[in-house]
Amino acid sequence: MRARLVSAGVVTALIAWSIWQRWNLLAASPFPLGVDGYFYPVELRALLATGHLAYPASPLTFYLLAPFAALSDPITGAKLGAAVYGALIAAPIYAVGARLGGGRGAGLVAAALATTSLGSLYLTVEFVKNGIGLTVALGALWLVLRATERPTTARVVAAALAVVAAYASHKMAAALVVIVGVPAALAAGATHGALRGRRLLYAIAGVIVAAIVALALGAASPERFPSTGDLALGGALTSPTAHWTAPALALPDGELAL
């Protein structure tokens, strides 16, 4: 119990410290920051005024940011939400790290790396949806891991809802959960004996049906959800030219957009 309380205190302190650091950086300017800086206030203003987004995008991220915008304004709300949700990554990554690493120490190391890394801070400034999507995706992976260890009805339902939330928050989050979480859940279920015979066939059939529904949603709204067109982006994941700085700003011809 004491170790659990100490771990919870450390993670809470990391989250509070990270929120403060991220907010100080974002609040240094009264204007939106980042490549997509103005995109988020525009979407939030439309969501609060009309109930729907001005431009098609993964919706859950903006609904998560909306309360902050409602309490302040679209620009401040987007920044505050980015700081909070970006820092909250410490909680799910601690849980995932503790389970995969075999102890709370591994979870604390993972939480510290996530909250203090420049990459995480970079997402908070430049690509808010990616940062929030990672927080949601890691939460979904944690719930999937819990469900595979002891597949009660409550845990399975919670994991399924979390996977749907990741799918609705960002395309990258959806891909991360599908590629990592779904195979792990099936393998663990088969190993523990929870998925055998008809149950295994039903689980595989459920995954196939879910994949068909996901592909249909992607075809109907490729701007909001992962689609087959996104597979072409996989070719840009590797390059013969090494970029040691600002890889997200690399142009298709290999030059950096400085």
Side-chain angles (χ1 to χ4, degrees), residues 23-73:
W23 170 248
N24 282 336
L25 177 61
L26 294 172
S29 170
F31 304 105
L33 302 178
V35 176
D36 298 328
Y38 282 91
F39 173 69
Y40 299 98
V42 169
E43 291 282 64
L44 288 174
R45 180 178 181 181
L47 181 60
L48 294 176
T50 65
H52 57 79
L53 300 175
Y55 303 100
S58 301
L60 181 59
T61 298
F62 298 99
Y63 282 97
L64 292 175
L65 293 173
F68 296 98
L71 292 173
S72 54
D73 60 77

Side-chain angles (χ1 to χ4, degrees), residues 2 8 24 53 70 80 82 84 101 107 117 119 127 191 193-194 210 223 231 240:
R2 183 179 178 181
N24 282 336
L53 300 175
L80 185 57
V84 171
S117 70
F127 303 106
T191 301
E223 299 89 353
L231 296 176

